[in-house]
Amino acid sequence: MRIVMTAVLTAVRPRFVWRISVPGLIAVCAICAVIATTMPHPAHAFSDEELRNVTEKLNVKSATKKIKAIDAMAADGDPRVAPILNAMLEGNLFVRDSDEHVVIGAKKGKVWSHIDIVSGEIVGESSSKELSKIKVNNRLRGALRDALAALNLFSKDIVVRTAAVEQVMDARDPSMLPLLDRAIEREEDPTLLARMELAQATMALAAGETPKQRMAAIDVLASETTPQIRAVLSQFVASAEAEGYEPEVIAAAKGALKSVEGRLSMWQTLGDVYRGISLGSVLLLAAVGLAITFGVMGVINMAHGEMIMIGAYTTFVVQQVFASIFPSGSPWSLMIAVPAAFVVAGLVGIVIERCVIRFLYGRPLETLLATWGVSLVLQQAIRSLFGATNQQVMAPDFMSGALELSNGLVLTYNRLWIILFSLIVVGGIAIVLRYTAFGLQMRAVTQNRRMAGSVGIRTGYVDALTFGLGSGIAGIAGVALSQISNVSPNLGQTYIIDSFMVVVFGGVGNLWGTVLGAFSLGIVNKFLEPVAGAVLAKIFVLIALILFIQKRPKGLFALKGRAVEA
Amino acid sequence: MNKKLQALMGAGALAWSAMTLSTAQAADTIKVGVLHSLSGTMAISETTLKDTVLMLVDDLNKNGGLLGKQVEAVVVDPASDWPLFAEKARELIEKDKVDVVFGCWTSVSRKSVLPVFEELNSMLFYPVQYEGEESSRNVFYTGAAPNQQAIPAVDYLMSEDGGAAERIVLLGTDYVYPRTTNKILRSYLNGKGISDADIMENYTPFGHSDWQSIVADVKAFASTGKKTAVVSTINGDANVPFYKELANQGIKAEDIPVVAFSVGEEELAGIDTKPLVGHLAAWNYFQSVESDANAAFIKKWHAFIGDDARVTNDPMEATYIGFSMWKQAVEQAGTTDVDAVRQAMYGQKVANLTGGTAVMNTNHHLSKPVLIGEVQDDGQFDTVWETEGTVVGDAWSDFLPESAKLTADWTYPWVCGNCEKPMY
Amino acid sequence: MTDYRQKYQMTPVIGWLLRDRGGMILLSILIAASILIPVGNLIVPEGSALHVPTWMMSLLGKYLCYALLALSVDLIWGFCGILSLGHGAFFALGGYAMGMYLMRQIGDRGVYGNPELPDFMVFLNWTELPWYWFGFDMFWFAIVMAMFVPGLLAFVFGFLAFRSRVTGVYLSIITQAMTYALLLAFFRNDMGFGGNNGLTDFKDLLGFSLQSDSTRASLFVASAVMLGICYILARCITNSRLGKVLIAIRDAESRVRFTGYRVEYYKLFVFTVSAVMAGIAGSLYVPQVGIINPGEFAPALSIEIVIWVAVGGRGTLYGAVLGAFIVNYAKTFFTGVMPEFWLFFLGGLFIAVTLLLPKGVIGAVPAFGSPDRQSVLAGLRKRISNGRANQGGKA
């Protein structure tokens, strides 16, 4: 009985046990005594009155006292506690100023409904002014999550249970072991059971008392590949050597550590490749529009970055409009923003082509001057319209968060989507250039304008559309970049130099060169970064680029033929 | 040829007269120069401060002006171009004859204008948190010095409430403010028993936008089991991609809290803060602080800017305090003469927007309270810790051997900004 | 034919200088300015209508440095067709050389009072001066370095690039990559050049306080004189036989090569000379503005230099000077008068000049520009038709 009591006591919030004062200890022990007999699934361990009383204890200023109250609430495993703790975690637990009662708040417009903590019914309404929030900070949030994890280990919902196990594993708290042991006994799902046993092993390694227990734990851990396991093992090796454990245990731990490290470094390399590809896809998106306006048409388009910026701002405007019309559908606004950005940036591009660039064909260096002027005007126009500060573009749910592979590799969803998106965009352009009538005309006009004109192609029209296409694609890139970067008037300036480097590196006028150029620059950069730091990596890449151009003065894929010389 | 020459000379004469023509029409106004970038990379932060000064001037004029005169703001755009800052400062002082200048954001812009202000003996109010290690007779620093921001912040991180951090990651943009702050912090942390092995330092260029590797490194550094926290001195534009990456890689504030010194309400306005709840910032002001003065200030700001969604931030409060102190000092001195106003500035008191009183010290730095706030899901901060009373801003850090011996005191008998013994 | 040759051989430099109308006007203005402006500043009492305030003198001095920089770009772009988008790098290197001298002159007057090390090194815990700072306590050494370092960089860079026949936009982009790489490198605090803050807080030059009006006036005169000398030098180059080859390279590089000229040597020579000029401009610029930092390496600045040249009129030398003055004055004027909208004007100016004045402002003045004295509108009409006709070839 005593063992169970201390087990439960320590299981709930063991890190703070030593801080619990004597009266508190007695109170908690009393609760434990009540519940110890009814564990592990007491329906209502608290009477309504007790629940209310124990919750009211949250209404204190000191974080330490709040944690004590949380532990007391969670200790009992009462299912009604979880919603209260959840509300507190999300900042929705309030003290009503009128009667000093703790209530859960639910916001509807400007009115807050008060939900009773025991019955779950609405017991009043007010503005936010009459409620004072029960403040949480990081420490409390940690305590709340651990407490909820302990409660949720026995949840009926497997998703909740899985999350709880991960939380317990992160907390790496040996004193949660008894609770975990009990959960393992009851668990039926084999995958989750394996995770639970892994969590058990991480804790057992430190808590294990016999060499056999330790060896068993090491065996389980050796087959895993995560940074956490590496940390657990290396800590164990250090402490084992200090405490003078059995040599075979130390040797086994060292062997396990070595194998974990070996596998991790392989994953680390893979991670660098992934990050390089991801950076490459961003560079590719930024550069691919330029590959058309600069690469195909020969316009040194310094306003290219501003087309990206216009795309990003279009995304912002589309989201704002969406949010005001159908608040529920806003995750889809990004889908609408892609064509919208294409059209807006494309139209701006066509206007620029008709008003400025068409007078300058054949003088690429003068296009540099005029488009630089255009870029200044566009930047200032956006600044005057939207203000100089950053605008907030929301990430839809499918682009938030990350795919966490168990070996410590984190693939963020937004970057996965951007990689995919960049490939789709490039594929789309390739199809347009290769298989459509417009693509054919475009290639004809850029290869031999007079000949194209004399067979009846309206060259001016094709020019305008080609520039529009390049700008429109830059606009699409803006939609993607709004997900990872600032949406500000300076957005374009950030990417313009990199874009030119990519196009020139790949070879002007060659789409595949741009693709290969973007990905190789990205990957090289990401492999250098851990070694040399972000700044030096970039310098090395630039120097390498300069030297590379000496070797291949026309880029990776040079155009052949007379057109090059002109 | 003669005609052309005439035309050319005519054009030259026109340009000359345009250059020399000072805005001489309103000689009986008091002129306030506003030297904040309205274009270029820093416009994103500085435009707000220009508007703040305009609002304060407007407000002052509505209440009858200063010394019976109207106050006129002279706004110029130094365009985030550092030598242009010096040029514009000289122009404001010599050509427009302004009585005081409010301006600058980056350290390099301040360093650029400093010789101009000292040469022409004019007065600059600098409203941004900075690295310290400076005290000029002609500059009043109303932003936080490192000991008013960085030191309290790591104290909090290492406290029980802040999560009792034992490993610290120092992330910064590679320029003087992060370098200095991190140097001070490293020496402070070593003194608190955190060894160099438990400190990771990393610098990135301005506007760094690809944070994948660095965030992954932080995660790996934190995986040893010791509680880890990040101290961020990442500047301006780079913050949005940094926080987006942080959120997406799932770094929760309970596991690895990030405390930032350059991220305020304005920077957060560009980010969806739901995944960032709990990350921290250390400032002397938060918009969320409830006080009557703050509520009135926010209301005035919204009315002036015509947009209820605009936020207020710490450099705005610093501008407000600087402006109010200057106004009081001018009234007390009865003149806008720089030397007289400077003498009147010492000991000048202004009520903070967050409660308490800011006092101008003789080292040209303020005594202010320090607040630590956690990011909330609405883009505001919730104060979780604050100093009891105010902290005196140190021009010279006590934690750096070469600057600990220096003293800044512009009153008798010291009268200097970096001395080891008094001048008189 | 023989006539011309005889004339060339017999006429000394003065002869064709006298016939260079734009150059004569420029040189006269420079001489007049270098006398009148210091007099107006130092002797004419304040309050007089003719008094030149100090801020204006240092502003004009700064413009002179920019003009010299523009001149150096026009020499390679206007006469040899090399479009460098990285000339700011040479300017900045010259500036850093001078800045290092000025830093050493501070001596123990820095905030930490270290007689040997600049403040930022004391701060970075450096105990001794890095080797590349040695010698910069001597003025002559700094001046030599201000020319040698940009020249050397241009020589090495040009040697590699011209030998491999990197031309056109490829060259432009790698010059941009060069200045960008230098920007990032100087930006690093570990490089020992003061990081982002650069070098600042200068006290005196050759023992004269930088804050005194007479020093400023001297610097102004030095800038004017240097611009004059460099102008004459550039004119000598362009008027010489070598200059003719350069122009031929600009107009048809392959043909010149096939005629038997070693194109790369000509290019290398003029590129290096131009870089040295840019370095001189930088070294004069720094004491006048009081700061040098990596911002001067920014690719945007290098693009702007090219724009000055284009606005003034490419391929005329004096046009570049005029362009530098026009654009920078416009910038000064508009950032003061309409701080919120000046970029519209500047951007609009660039577009308008490109479209309406293809030969720059100087081209619009009939005496200097097109001999057929066509009006601006007629010029535009011609450009449109030319543009159509020209569309035959790929850019």
Side-chain angles (χ1 to χ4, degrees):
Chain A
M1 176 69 196
R2 218 181 108 238
I3 296 167
V4 175
M5 253 171 59
T6 34
V8 171
L9 186 65
T10 47
V12 178
R13 193 60 211 170
R15 277 182 232 167
F16 298 94
V17 164
W18 59 274
R19 255 177 262 119
I20 292 180
S21 59
V22 176
L25 195 68
I26 293 166
V28 177
C29 288
I31 296 167
C32 291
V34 173
I35 59 165
T37 47
T38 51
M39 279 298 270
H41 255 306
H44 285 272
F46 286 128
S47 71
D48 289 358
E49 201 50 39
E50 277 167 346
L51 181 61
R52 204 176 293 283
N53 280 337
V54 74
T55 310
E56 298 288 339
K57 292 212 169 75
L58 289 172
N59 184 16
V60 285
K61 200 156 187 266
S62 142
T64 312
K65 281 187 185 150
K66 276 182 190 162
I67 286 171
K68 214 189 310 176
I70 293 167
D71 290 347
M73 287 168 75
D76 143 43
D78 190 321
R80 291 173 302 175
V81 167
I84 303 173
L85 295 186
N86 253 324
M88 184 170 173
L89 189 60
E90 279 155 26
N92 287 332
L93 199 64
F94 296 90
V95 176
R96 191 153 61 177
D97 291 352
S98 51
D99 56 2
E100 293 278 310
H101 274 311
V102 176
V103 291
I104 296 173
K107 197 182 181 185
K108 282 197 188 119
K110 288 207 161 186
V111 185
W112 287 84
S113 314
H114 311 169
I115 298 168
D116 188 72
I117 44 168
V118 175
S119 64
E121 284 160 6
I122 294 175
V123 290
E125 274 183 353
S126 74
S127 72
S128 61
K129 279 189 186 153
E130 284 160 51
L131 296 171
S132 13
K133 187 151 108 182
I134 295 186
K135 287 197 176 187
V136 280
N137 62 12
N138 285 330
R139 183 181 163 205
L140 279 167
R141 266 187 223 104
L144 281 167
R145 274 194 223 277
D146 288 352
L148 278 168
L151 284 173
N152 288 341
L153 269 182
F154 302 97
S155 164
K156 288 197 179 75
D157 186 348
I158 185 158
V159 181
V160 176
R161 237 163 36 227
T162 312
V165 172
E166 295 301 325
Q167 178 73 25
V168 168
M169 185 131 63
D170 277 350
R172 234 185 283 157
D173 208 325
S175 45
M176 273 196 189
L177 206 49
L179 210 62
L180 197 61
D181 286 343
R182 235 188 353 265
I184 286 173
E185 277 164 30
R186 304 163 54 89
E187 187 55 57
E188 280 161 11
D189 182 88
T191 343
L192 189 53
L193 193 62
R195 294 299 287 169
M196 283 180 166
E197 279 167 351
L198 181 66
Q200 188 191 28
T202 54
M203 297 170 192
L205 190 59
E209 284 169 2
T210 65
K212 207 176 154 200
Q213 280 173 335
R214 288 190 196 117
M215 291 293 274
I218 290 171
D219 267 358
V220 176
L221 295 180
S223 58
E224 277 300 313
T225 314
T226 73
Q228 284 85 358
I229 302 298
R230 177 180 58 191
V232 169
L233 282 171
S234 66
Q235 269 176 351
F236 176 74
V237 168
S239 67
E241 281 176 340
E243 309 244 332
Y245 284 175
E246 299 75 8
E248 66 267 24
V249 171
I250 297 178
K254 276 184 174 165
L257 183 61
K258 208 174 167 192
S259 75
V260 170
E261 273 174 347
R263 285 195 304 273
L264 267 183
S265 76
M266 188 190 73
W267 283 105
Q268 173 68 31
T269 313
L270 273 181
D272 281 341
V273 172
Y274 169 75
R275 286 188 281 268
I277 290 174
S278 158
L279 177 62
S281 69
V282 170
L283 289 175
L284 176 60
L285 271 176
V288 74
L290 194 69
I292 291 175
T293 53
F294 172 54
V296 177
M297 299 183 76
V299 175
I300 304 185
N301 184 12
M302 298 306 290
H304 172 73
E306 277 58 46
M307 296 298 151
I308 299 178
M309 171 190 77
I310 287 174
Y313 272 90
T314 310
T315 317
F316 167 70
V317 171
V318 167
Q319 279 198 347
Q320 294 294 305
V321 170
F322 244 79
S324 61
I325 303 175
F326 335 90
S328 58
S330 38
W332 297 104
S333 64
L334 220 56
M335 300 290 153
I336 307 294
V338 172
F342 182 79
V343 171
V344 173
L347 284 178
V348 174
I350 289 175
V351 169
I352 294 172
E353 201 278 341
R354 285 290 93 187
C355 297
V356 181
I357 291 168
R358 70 173 168 135
F359 303 119
L360 304 171
Y361 285 118
R363 300 184 193 78
L365 300 180
E366 287 180 33
T367 58
L368 172 127
L369 175 59
T371 50
W372 181 256
V374 170
S375 98
L376 293 185
V377 170
L378 286 177
Q379 270 178 51
Q380 188 61 41
I382 291 289
R383 202 172 279 134
S384 304
L385 273 174
F386 293 93
T389 46
N390 279 329
Q391 300 296 342
Q392 184 182 347
V393 173
M394 308 288 269
D397 287 341
F398 65 88
M399 285 186 81
S400 312
L403 183 64
E404 288 200 44
L405 304 183
S406 57
N407 40 49
L409 198 56
V410 179
L411 311 180
T412 51
Y413 285 127
N414 61 351
R415 295 200 178 258
L416 278 175
W417 280 107
I418 285 172
I419 293 174
L420 191 65
F421 186 66
S422 70
L423 295 177
I424 293 173
V425 168
V426 172
I429 297 171
I431 288 170
V432 167
L433 290 185
R434 187 76 187 80
Y435 295 109
T436 64
F438 167 61
L440 187 67
Q441 293 180 355
M442 194 176 114
R443 282 181 292 142
V445 170
T446 47
Q447 277 167 22
N448 192 328
R449 182 173 300 273
R450 282 191 200 181
M451 191 80 88
S454 52
V455 299
I457 297 174
R458 292 162 66 193
T459 56
Y461 178 77
V462 172
D463 280 335
L465 283 188
T466 311
F467 198 83
L469 176 71
S471 306
I473 290 165
I476 292 186
V479 180
L481 294 184
S482 73
Q483 290 299 316
I484 53 168
S485 185
N486 293 288
V487 180
S488 78
N490 300 327
L491 171 65
Q493 294 294 306
T494 329
Y495 290 99
I496 184 76
I497 296 175
D498 287 340
S499 305
F500 269 102
M501 301 295 160
V502 166
V503 174
V504 163
F505 176 64
V508 177
N510 190 311
L511 195 61
W512 301 118
T514 306
V515 176
L516 203 63
F519 283 116
S520 39
L521 286 183
I523 292 173
V524 169
N525 203 328
K526 281 294 157 188
F527 267 90
L528 283 173
E529 206 181 296
V531 188
V535 189
L536 269 185
K538 193 136 197 201
I539 295 174
F540 287 144
V541 168
L542 288 168
I543 293 174
L545 183 80
I546 293 174
L547 295 176
F548 177 81
I549 292 292
Q550 317 295 338
K551 203 75 198 150
R552 289 185 79 103
K554 301 287 176 192
L556 217 46
F557 294 100
L559 278 189
K560 294 189 175 67
R562 296 201 57 180
V564 186
E565 284 294 305
Chain B
M1 155 82 194
N2 266 345
K3 258 189 192 163
K4 278 154 245 146
L5 236 139
Q6 272 174 10
L8 214 69
M9 290 171 80
L14 205 75
W16 181 263
S17 54
M19 274 177 105
T20 46
L21 203 76
S22 60
T23 41
Q25 359 87 8
D28 55 343
T29 60
I30 291 176
K31 285 191 182 174
V32 172
V34 184
L35 187 65
H36 283 299
S37 298
L38 309 180
S39 59
T41 50
M42 290 315 295
I44 191 170
S45 307
E46 292 193 63
T47 312
T48 311
L49 294 190
K50 177 219 53 171
D51 289 330
T52 309
V53 180
L54 291 185
M55 172 183 89
L56 294 169
V57 167
D58 193 49
D59 198 45
L60 188 56
N61 282 334
K62 275 188 199 144
N63 294 324
L66 191 56
L67 302 180
K69 296 180 192 171
Q70 287 287 290
V71 179
E72 180 194 346
V74 184
V75 180
V76 292
D77 178 14
S80 314
D81 174 350
W82 319 132
L84 196 59
F85 264 93
E87 179 191 319
K88 289 286 157 200
R90 188 173 285 278
E91 196 180 306
L92 280 175
I93 301 164
E94 283 200 60
K95 183 176 141 197
D96 296 316
K97 311 248 181 282
V98 297
D99 298 295
V100 64
V101 176
F102 292 85
C104 296
W105 183 290
T106 58
S107 288
V108 55
S109 66
R110 190 189 66 252
K111 292 272 185 210
S112 174
V113 301
L114 199 64
V116 178
F117 278 91
E118 288 181 349
E119 177 193 342
L120 302 172
N121 190 23
S122 185
M123 193 182 277
L124 172 71
F125 282 83
Y126 176 69
V128 185
Q129 88 285 3
Y130 86 119
E131 67 278 5
E133 304 295 300
E134 187 181 299
S135 177
S136 165
R137 197 166 74 105
N138 297 85
V139 182
F140 286 97
Y141 308 81
T142 55
N147 72 318
Q148 289 173 304
Q149 208 183 9
I151 301 277
V154 293
D155 274 344
Y156 176 73
L157 286 179
M158 292 189 294
S159 74
E160 200 182 331
D161 267 354
E166 299 163 291
R167 304 193 99 192
I168 304 277
V169 181
L170 305 171
L171 290 183
T173 304
D174 191 0
Y175 74 112
V176 65
Y177 168 63
R179 287 258 176 192
T180 316
T181 307
N182 289 345
K183 193 174 167 191
I184 294 170
L185 285 182
R186 185 180 281 270
S187 134
Y188 182 73
L189 289 172
N190 287 345
K192 291 270 171 182
I194 293 186
S195 71
D196 280 341
D198 284 329
I199 302 175
M200 166 178 156
E201 216 170 328
N202 183 298
Y203 295 100
T204 42
F206 275 99
H208 189 67
S209 60
D210 193 292
W211 289 93
Q212 300 178 81
S213 310
I214 293 167
V215 171
D217 284 351
V218 169
K219 253 186 140 166
F221 187 75
S223 69
T224 57
K226 281 189 185 174
K227 176 79 183 178
T228 307
V230 177
V231 173
S232 152
T233 38
I234 297 164
N235 178 274
D237 274 6
N239 275 306
V240 172
F242 171 64
Y243 278 103
K244 282 187 176 169
E245 190 67 39
L246 212 58
N248 280 322
Q249 290 209 20
I251 291 193
K252 287 201 287 286
E254 304 96 84
D255 304 331
I256 310 175
V258 177
V259 59
F261 307 144
S262 306
V263 176
E265 289 85 347
E266 188 123 312
E267 285 75 14
L268 287 184
I271 322 175
D272 175 12
T273 54
K274 279 191 194 68
L276 299 176
V277 169
H279 287 306
L280 304 144
W283 288 106
N284 306 118
Y285 168 86
F286 289 118
Q287 181 179 3
S288 63
V289 172
E290 283 171 11
S291 78
D292 293 343
N294 194 21
F297 183 78
I298 295 169
K299 201 174 153 201
K300 218 187 283 173
W301 171 242
H302 285 165
F304 181 81
I305 209 78
D307 177 1
D308 282 355
R310 283 293 289 273
V311 292
T312 55
N313 62 11
D314 176 275
M316 284 175 70
E317 194 218 19
T319 303
Y320 163 80
I321 292 174
F323 191 88
S324 309
M325 281 191 174
W326 172 77
K327 184 197 109 186
Q328 290 173 11
V330 167
E331 276 166 353
Q332 201 174 313
T335 165
T336 57
D337 178 71
V338 169
D339 294 316
V341 174
R342 178 168 36 236
Q343 287 310 314
M345 279 297 291
Y346 303 129
Q348 205 61 252
K349 288 190 176 79
V350 166
N352 289 313
L353 294 177
T354 55
T357 312
V359 184
M360 179 54 74
N361 302 309
T362 53
N363 63 358
H364 286 210
H365 290 67
L366 286 176
S367 297
K368 293 209 282 190
V370 185
L371 315 177
I372 288 171
E374 283 185 357
V375 175
Q376 301 297 298
D377 54 7
D378 56 356
Q380 290 289 331
F381 291 91
D382 187 16
T383 313
V384 290
W385 183 88
E386 59 189 294
T387 48
E388 289 174 19
T390 57
V391 179
V392 180
D394 273 344
W396 303 101
S397 174
D398 298 337
F399 299 100
L400 301 178
E402 67 272 26
S403 72
K405 58 191 181 198
L406 296 176
T407 299
D409 187 338
W410 288 101
T411 51
Y412 186 82
W414 281 86
V415 203
C416 86
N418 54 325
C419 289
E420 290 178 44
K421 54 183 187 299
M423 297 280 274
Y424 298 99
Chain C
M1 197 63 199
T2 39
D3 246 358
Y4 275 110
R5 181 157 298 172
Q6 271 182 349
K7 241 183 187 170
Y8 269 116
Q9 282 168 347
M10 293 174 60
T11 325
V13 175
I14 305 291
W16 48 254
L17 257 187
L18 282 173
R19 270 180 285 114
D20 170 19
R21 198 160 32 184
M24 283 313 293
I25 296 176
L26 172 69
L27 291 176
S28 333
I29 293 176
L30 285 179
I31 292 169
S34 52
I35 295 168
L36 292 180
I37 289 186
V39 167
N41 177 253
L42 298 174
I43 299 173
V44 177
E46 221 166 314
S48 153
L50 288 175
H51 175 75
V52 179
T54 309
W55 63 267
M56 195 191 297
M57 190 170 65
S58 55
L59 197 62
L60 289 172
K62 190 173 131 182
Y63 290 173
L64 285 174
C65 300
Y66 284 149
L68 181 52
L69 180 56
L71 182 80
S72 75
V73 169
D74 196 22
L75 183 63
I76 54 166
W77 185 37
F79 290 89
C80 194
I82 304 170
L83 178 61
S84 164
L85 291 184
H87 241 55
F90 305 123
F91 179 75
L93 285 174
Y96 265 100
M98 179 54 90
M100 284 156 86
Y101 164 73
L102 294 170
M103 277 318 259
R104 295 300 308 274
Q105 289 302 296
I106 298 173
D108 59 1
R109 287 169 292 175
V111 288
Y112 299 119
N114 188 311
E116 195 61 17
L117 297 181
D119 283 340
F120 70 87
M121 289 188 193
V122 177
F123 184 73
L124 287 174
N125 287 341
W126 292 15
T127 47
E128 57 181 48
L129 213 56
W131 60 268
Y132 44 83
W133 273 74
F134 283 122
F136 279 96
D137 46 344
M138 290 169 285
F139 183 68
W140 65 266
F141 185 80
I143 291 293
V144 169
M145 281 297 143
M147 297 192 277
F148 178 73
V149 173
L152 182 71
L153 176 65
F155 185 82
V156 171
F157 186 87
F159 180 75
L160 289 171
F162 299 139
R163 196 196 44 170
S164 342
R165 300 189 191 170
V166 181
T167 52
V169 287
Y170 290 92
L171 186 77
S172 305
I173 299 299
I174 61 167
T175 50
Q176 198 169 42
M178 174 194 76
T179 194
Y180 191 44
L182 282 169
L183 166 77
L184 292 172
F186 273 75
F187 178 75
R188 298 184 68 233
N189 275 288
D190 304 332
M191 278 283 284
F193 294 105
N196 182 55
N197 274 12
L199 309 176
T200 177
D201 200 23
F202 307 137
K203 305 277 194 244
D204 48 32
L205 176 72
L206 289 171
F208 300 103
S209 165
L210 278 173
Q211 301 198 337
S212 79
D213 283 355
S214 53
T215 315
R216 282 182 208 286
S218 320
L219 281 167
F220 173 83
V221 173
S223 309
V225 169
M226 216 55 215
L227 178 59
I229 292 174
C230 286
Y231 177 81
I232 294 171
L233 184 74
R235 189 52 83 195
C236 285
I237 293 175
T238 60
N239 274 11
S240 68
R241 253 179 72 85
L242 182 130
K244 303 295 175 212
V245 178
L246 292 180
I247 293 172
I249 292 173
R250 175 189 72 187
D251 294 339
E253 183 171 338
S254 313
R255 286 187 215 177
V256 179
R257 184 173 288 123
F258 298 147
T259 324
Y261 288 95
R262 296 295 299 266
V263 167
E264 54 273 27
Y265 294 154
Y266 287 89
K267 281 181 153 181
L268 188 56
F269 170 75
V270 76
F271 192 61
T272 309
V273 168
S274 162
V276 170
M277 278 187 192
I280 296 173
S283 65
L284 285 164
Y285 171 83
V286 167
Q288 300 191 66
V289 298
I291 182 168
I292 175 78
N293 66 58
E296 306 294 337
F297 286 105
L301 178 78
S302 294
I303 292 173
E304 238 180 73
I305 303 166
V306 173
I307 287 174
W308 303 339
V309 177
V311 166
R314 174 190 168 195
T316 57
L317 296 182
Y318 44 79
V321 174
L322 183 67
F325 269 84
I326 291 176
V327 176
N328 282 298
Y329 174 66
K331 214 170 158 180
T332 304
F333 184 72
F334 287 126
T335 49
V337 174
M338 42 186 79
E340 317 248 357
F341 301 104
W342 68 277
L343 275 175
F344 285 129
F345 285 87
L346 205 66
L349 175 76
F350 297 158
I351 300 171
V353 165
T354 332
L355 290 185
L356 302 178
L357 307 170
K359 291 182 175 167
V361 173
I362 216 84
V365 184
F368 298 97
S370 34
D372 51 343
R373 304 195 169 210
Q374 39 183 221
S375 74
V376 169
L377 269 180
L380 181 63
R381 248 177 260 132
K382 190 165 165 237
R383 280 173 77 69
I384 295 176
S385 57
N386 272 350
R388 291 217 178 98
N390 260 339
Q391 288 174 353
K394 194 185 175 295

